[in-house]
Amino acid sequence: MTDRAILRIRVVLVLALLAIAGRQLYVQLIAAPTISAVPTNPRRHLADAGRGRILASDGTPLAQTVSGVRVYSMHGAAAQLIGYDSVRYGTSGIEDAYNAALEPATRSGDPFAQWQALVDAFQGKPASVHGADVITTISPTITRVLAEQLSRYPRGAGVVLDARTGAVLAMVSQPTFDPNTIDTTFAKTVLLKQSPLLNRAIDGEYPPGSTFKILTASAAIDSGTFTPQSHFYDPGYLHIGSFTLHDNEGEATGSQTLTGAFALSSNVDFARVGMKLGVDTFYEYLHRFDVGASLDFQLPATVSHIPDPKDLSDGELAQLAFGQGALTVSPLQMALIAAAVANGGKEPRPYVVRDVLRDGVHVGTVTPSTLAIPITADTAAAVTKMMVAVVKFGTGTTAALPGVTVAGKTGTATNPLGRPHSWFVCFAPADAPRVVVAVVVENAGYGATVAAPIARAVLASALKVVR
Amino acid sequence: MTNALPVIARRLVPMLIALALDAWMFSFAPVHAIGPSWMLLLLAALACFWVLWQPAGMRRDDFLPALAVLLSGLGVMLVARLSPHLAQRQLVWLLVSLVLAISAGPFFSTIRRLAAVKYIWVILSLIFFGLLVLFGREVNGAKLWIVLGPVRYEPVEIIKLCIVFFLAAYLSETGDVIAMTRPWSIRENAKYLGPLLLGWLPALIILILQHDIGMAALLLAVFASMLYAATRRIDLVLGGLCVFALCAWFALHHYGYVQTRVSVWLHPFADPLGRGYQSAQAYFSLAAGGLFGTGYRLGHPEFIPNVANDYVYAAFSEEFGALGGLVLLWLFGVLAFRMFAVAVAQPDLFAKLLALGMGATLAFQTVVITGGVVGLFPLTGITLPFVSYGGSSLLANFLLVALVWAISARPMTWSRESSASSS
């Protein structure tokens, strides 16, 4: 009898142990993410201790943890691109996109990483207590020049690419913030109407204005519809149905070739080009340049907006041809269009992280690749000549550099928010392009007066850095 | 004796396996945290001597001492990782525990002679309480320690064994009578349950007065188990549970420290930097562990205050994960089950109740502390047997295992004639 009672006590014990096991599995598996996220959890600081560095292309640490504190050497310059890592507010930019690599594997909470750590331990490998280093293509020198140039205006953005590879050499968004102090300033910063946290270079949605004529001209020549010598006449206005459009950058350009119309930025002539090409051809080239497709970038980038071709009127198509209407792009998108022209018709795939270095082993090497081949090399050469004309005698003379042939295009994008956005997109040297620059300054007026001088200063410094 | 070698081998093999596992675990510990090596060799030699030195012609459950050594080795490994200084002391306590467990062996082998002695255990436990009042020192708000020079001892760990002795002795005599008593007959119930409660209640009351709720809950669970096993009267167990529930309800409304414990249990993150600090840190530790754990010495359990004592299970579960925790629970379950099996195998009620009571003490102590750590119920500070840092607990639990191991002795099959039941 007593023995049967003992067996019953055994059952009670088993039930108690099962209840404990159940509760423990719940705490360690299901509730764990919520518990770990509690701000007073000291492990969140510890995770930072072993966090990997973000390095510039020359090896300069852009972000590194020094005695438990995340230090950003560039402060406000490129803050949106590099991002922040805050115990309280999470991560952004590269800090966010490469968080899994930067975090020490054993602390990432990822069961597979923990399993790998266990296997490593059994094989006698040292425990990987440090996260991987992320090596970028960012040039601190070019970034500083671009940031310094843009800081003189309230809002704007710029992208500098290696013309041959698509590597991002600099990416700056103005206004900016200091990621070193994000823990104390985030609450205020996030409420600002100017959105300093927004990376305008990849997430800004701007009408491109006349800089988009690079694409229109490429389509015009590549499709065989026009040559650079095709003749146009611009009286300063154009009636399309009930709608009249006016030139806004140059005055009436009168009798011009396509090159002249491009150099002097005639909206009237390019409206005619767009309408002659027709919706089908124009949209074919939009797709060829990958405009409107999701940008295959390492950070989430906003997709360019193009209107639906099905119910597009002649007037709307004409506007698209000179970069107005219901078209919005990011500075990165414009830089890629220019890069396609600079690179003999091959549009490079943009990238900013070129490698991940874990415990001395390269585990994430990025090979430069081609995103699309929208135009032939001949077309690219012809459009390059037209862009050189812009800087030589057209609207973009303020971007000219001594001793270097610069190919560029101005843009003055009218928008509902105030004065036009000032754009300049260029590359140099024109005969063997190494650097592409795209700059937009919001509501700053003519492209030639604001964006072009910025691009010029950036080009000057970039050509010294990039060989 | 031709069978001597196989017998020795059979007695030694479980212990050698345990020692090998301990050595393997120690090899991962921080350099110089465990040792010196002659100390480890001495401990290993003592452990082997412990299982070899048992009466000839008898067979005991040799897995019991082996499991005790395995678990205490695991404890040393964990404590060494949390505090090398404490690990040194734990090794000394381990030495003392082994020596005492071995010395007490002959006494435990004849324990059935003490079946008639009942109240000596009550007097003994009251003497310990008296010492506590006279020489006790307050640590963390509770007067639980006797301090003699460099040695600090928590007498409640020995008292818990005395209480089990008393209950086994008393119930082995009166259990059947209580079983026959009709539940509604107050006079008859009082006649036999009265002395039982008189012997057991003072210990409980003193523990409650000293705010040692964990040990009080443990004594209650052990009392309920032994009473139920001896009398098979579920009404007494249910009655006891009702009394416990009433006491708990009363305490919740009248004692601030009980209220704190419960509110911290219900809302561990309501005051994470104040009263809930320890509990919140334990949860962070568990959450960091996940299924597989961070790996030995790769976690950060050191944020938990008092981690080597009350929260050693959280530290273990952070670094070895929920899976490691389940394996440890399973080991404790195996140890308790083997003790219950020893109880079932005993022909006499005293030894049966003694083995059951000791097994239940170990099992419910594990339940009370691990359940508290993972938040199944409010945490009450007692040690995880063998694993937590603490000499008092280690010593008491080694004596506990040594006793049940001695009780488990039964004649070997090939020498059945040599011995019958000794009682």
Side-chain angles (χ1 to χ4, degrees):
Chain A
M1 286 299 274
T2 300
D3 293 345
R4 196 179 298 161
I6 292 174
L7 296 183
R8 288 203 186 117
I9 293 167
R10 240 169 53 160
V11 172
V12 172
L13 174 64
V14 168
L15 290 179
L17 289 176
L18 283 179
I20 292 167
R23 168 74 189 178
Q24 182 166 8
L25 285 171
Y26 168 77
V27 170
Q28 294 202 269
L29 294 183
I30 295 162
T34 322
I35 294 171
S36 297
V38 172
T40 49
N41 186 353
R43 278 166 190 75
R44 305 188 59 188
H45 289 288
L46 286 171
D48 284 350
R51 193 175 175 84
R53 299 174 299 171
I54 298 175
L55 302 173
S57 64
D58 58 5
T60 318
L62 300 172
Q64 63 178 331
T65 304
V66 181
S67 44
V69 181
R70 198 73 172 157
V71 178
Y72 298 91
S73 59
M74 302 287 285
H75 295 272
Q80 297 88 351
L81 174 64
I82 297 161
Y84 55 78
D85 170 44
S86 160
V87 169
R88 214 174 284 171
Y89 301 108
T91 48
S92 75
I94 296 172
E95 289 273 34
D96 182 65
Y98 284 81
N99 191 42
L102 290 162
E103 279 219 315
T106 47
R107 293 187 195 136
S108 62
D110 170 13
F112 295 103
Q114 291 179 353
W115 176 250
Q116 189 55 48
L118 200 68
V119 172
D120 288 350
F122 268 110
Q123 292 171 348
K125 288 185 197 164
S128 179
V129 288
H130 286 281
D133 285 344
V134 169
I135 306 171
T136 67
T137 58
I138 298 168
S139 156
T141 316
I142 303 172
T143 302
R144 277 204 194 87
V145 172
L146 180 56
E148 197 265 316
Q149 290 285 329
L150 280 170
S151 68
R152 289 182 272 141
Y153 301 92
R155 293 177 309 282
V159 176
V160 183
L161 298 181
D162 186 310
R164 299 152 296 189
T165 61
V168 174
L169 303 172
M171 185 180 274
V172 171
S173 180
Q174 169 75 12
T176 189
F177 62 96
D178 189 346
N180 291 298
T181 55
I182 193 69
D183 273 338
T184 49
T185 54
F186 182 89
K188 244 189 304 168
T189 311
V190 77
L191 292 175
L192 292 175
K193 217 180 139 202
Q194 314 275 13
S195 317
L197 299 176
L198 176 72
N199 189 347
R200 288 170 155 79
I202 51 174
D203 291 328
E205 298 180 32
Y206 300 103
S210 299
T211 56
F212 210 64
K213 288 173 186 164
I214 300 170
L215 187 141
T216 309
S218 299
I221 295 166
D222 200 67
S223 64
T225 321
F226 295 92
T227 67
Q229 288 73 41
S230 298
H231 187 261
F232 292 89
Y233 179 74
D234 171 10
Y237 58 88
L238 179 67
H239 297 292
I240 308 165
S242 59
F243 161 79
T244 306
L245 72 84
H246 298 271
D247 289 328
N248 56 7
E249 241 176 326
E251 299 301 310
T253 57
S255 183
Q256 290 291 348
T257 59
L258 182 62
T259 303
F262 186 86
L264 301 173
S265 205
S266 162
N267 283 356
V268 169
D269 294 346
F270 269 81
R272 289 209 177 93
V273 170
M275 288 188 291
K276 180 83 184 286
L277 287 172
V279 174
D280 291 345
T281 310
F282 189 75
Y283 269 74
E284 191 202 322
Y285 279 90
L286 286 182
H287 296 317
R288 284 203 195 181
F289 274 95
D290 246 25
V291 177
S294 77
L295 252 182
D296 184 14
F297 191 49
Q298 291 156 331
L299 303 184
T302 300
V303 175
S304 304
H305 177 77
I306 51 176
D308 192 335
K310 261 180 268 168
D311 34 44
L312 202 67
S313 70
D314 266 2
E316 286 166 319
L317 177 62
Q319 285 186 298
L320 287 187
F322 57 86
Q324 296 286 167
L327 171 73
T328 60
V329 298
S330 65
L332 177 62
Q333 178 74 76
M334 284 319 299
L336 286 173
I337 293 171
V341 174
N343 205 27
K346 292 193 187 110
E347 188 172 348
R349 189 184 303 274
Y351 65 100
V352 66
V353 171
R354 66 172 156 92
D355 215 335
V356 175
L357 194 62
R358 188 181 287 288
D359 296 329
V361 182
H362 295 270
V363 292
T365 312
V366 174
T367 320
S369 60
T370 303
L371 187 66
I373 308 179
I375 51 174
T376 63
D378 288 346
T379 307
V383 175
T384 301
K385 269 187 202 154
M386 294 164 69
M387 288 174 72
V388 169
V390 169
V391 180
K392 272 217 174 109
F393 59 83
T395 53
T397 48
T398 45
L401 277 173
V404 184
T405 322
V406 178
K409 183 71 196 84
T410 52
T412 306
T414 53
N415 66 84
L417 299 173
R419 297 173 69 199
H421 296 324
S422 174
W423 273 97
F424 197 74
V425 176
C426 61
F427 56 84
D431 50 342
R434 300 200 298 269
V435 181
V436 176
V437 179
V439 173
V440 64
V441 182
E442 290 181 29
N443 309 113
Y446 288 114
T449 53
V450 178
I454 294 176
R456 177 181 185 273
V458 173
L459 264 186
S461 104
L463 287 171
K464 274 182 222 147
V465 174
V466 184
R467 290 277 131 212
Chain B
M1 205 192 281
T2 50
N3 279 322
L5 196 62
V7 167
I8 288 172
R10 199 166 55 195
R11 285 175 178 177
L12 212 49
V13 162
M15 182 58 80
L16 288 178
I17 294 173
L19 288 172
L21 286 173
D22 281 346
W24 181 66
M25 289 191 286
F26 286 0
S27 71
F28 296 99
V31 183
H32 303 311
I34 300 175
S37 45
W38 58 262
M39 177 70 153
L40 298 180
L41 288 175
L42 177 62
L43 286 170
L46 278 174
C48 292
F49 177 70
W50 187 25
V51 284
L52 286 176
W53 192 48
Q54 41 179 306
M58 305 289 274
R59 183 165 180 196
R60 296 181 173 189
D61 184 355
D62 295 320
F63 276 95
L64 296 180
L67 278 169
V69 166
L70 175 66
L71 287 170
S72 53
L74 182 84
V76 170
M77 178 192 74
L78 277 180
V79 174
R81 177 254 174 281
L82 297 169
S83 155
H85 167 67
L86 289 185
Q88 296 297 327
R89 300 178 66 116
Q90 184 83 335
L91 281 180
V92 176
W93 275 113
L94 202 51
L95 183 70
V96 173
S97 304
L98 273 171
V99 169
L100 283 182
I102 292 167
S103 322
F107 170 67
F108 285 157
S109 302
T110 58
I111 200 71
R112 286 178 180 81
R113 276 192 232 145
L114 293 177
V117 190
K118 293 194 282 276
Y119 295 102
I120 182 89
W121 302 111
V122 179
I123 294 163
L124 213 58
S125 59
L126 289 177
I127 288 173
F128 274 115
F129 276 123
L131 288 173
L132 198 56
V133 173
L134 289 176
F135 303 104
R137 182 177 293 183
E138 213 172 286
V139 178
N140 301 331
K143 207 175 181 183
L144 298 171
W145 303 84
I146 293 175
V147 179
L148 294 171
V151 184
R152 293 198 330 179
Y153 199 78
E154 213 177 353
V156 70
E157 293 283 351
I158 289 297
I159 291 170
K160 99 188 164 190
L161 301 186
C162 292
I163 302 283
V164 174
F165 270 114
F166 165 70
L167 291 174
Y170 187 88
L171 286 171
S172 63
E173 223 172 56
T174 55
D176 286 333
V177 187
I178 298 173
M180 297 302 174
T181 314
R182 288 159 299 174
W184 54 86
S185 166
I186 294 170
R187 208 174 62 86
E188 280 182 42
N189 275 315
K191 188 176 167 190
Y192 295 107
L193 289 176
L196 183 66
L197 292 179
L198 274 182
W200 173 74
L201 269 182
L204 190 70
I205 288 166
I206 291 169
L207 284 174
I208 290 173
L209 288 180
Q210 293 189 327
H211 296 191
D212 196 351
I213 303 295
M215 199 51 88
L218 174 60
L219 276 196
L220 193 78
V222 171
F223 173 67
S225 309
M226 293 180 72
L227 187 62
Y228 176 64
T231 65
R232 283 89 61 199
R233 271 181 60 184
I234 198 74
D235 62 300
L236 289 176
V237 175
L238 293 178
L241 280 179
C242 287
V243 171
F244 172 74
L246 278 176
C247 289
W249 186 81
F250 179 81
L252 185 59
H253 289 271
H254 289 85
Y255 293 102
Y257 72 95
V258 177
Q259 238 161 14
T260 306
R261 287 273 170 91
V262 172
S263 75
V264 163
W265 170 55
L266 291 175
H267 312 287
F269 299 109
D271 186 12
L273 298 175
R275 297 180 313 180
Y277 185 76
Q278 196 178 26
S279 172
Q281 294 302 327
Y283 271 116
F284 294 149
S285 176
L286 289 171
L291 186 59
F292 296 117
T294 57
Y296 179 58
R297 291 166 66 194
L298 292 176
H300 291 279
E302 68 273 7
F303 286 115
I304 313 172
N306 226 353
V307 60
N309 270 304
D310 300 352
Y311 276 104
V312 78
Y313 188 64
F316 180 79
S317 296
E318 173 173 359
E319 301 199 327
F320 296 86
L323 284 182
L326 297 192
V327 169
L328 189 55
L329 285 182
W330 173 75
L331 278 178
F332 278 108
V334 167
L335 188 54
F337 263 49
R338 294 193 84 98
M339 289 187 173
F340 290 162
V342 170
V344 168
Q346 297 314 307
D348 63 311
L349 195 55
F350 175 66
K352 197 185 277 289
L353 288 178
L354 206 50
L356 167 73
M358 294 299 173
T361 304
L362 197 82
F364 287 115
Q365 184 161 349
T366 307
V367 167
V368 166
I369 187 60
T370 56
V373 166
V374 300
L376 192 62
F377 34 75
L379 183 106
T380 49
I382 55 175
T383 56
L384 181 62
F386 300 111
V387 180
S388 287
Y389 169 73
S392 326
S393 160
L394 199 64
L395 174 55
N397 286 316
F398 261 93
L399 291 178
L400 185 156
V401 166
L403 175 67
V404 180
W405 181 56
I407 293 173
S408 75
R410 57 193 164 84
M412 283 186 186
T413 43
W414 47 267
S415 57
R416 187 177 289 275
E417 72 286 355
S418 66
S419 159
S421 173
S422 59
S423 64

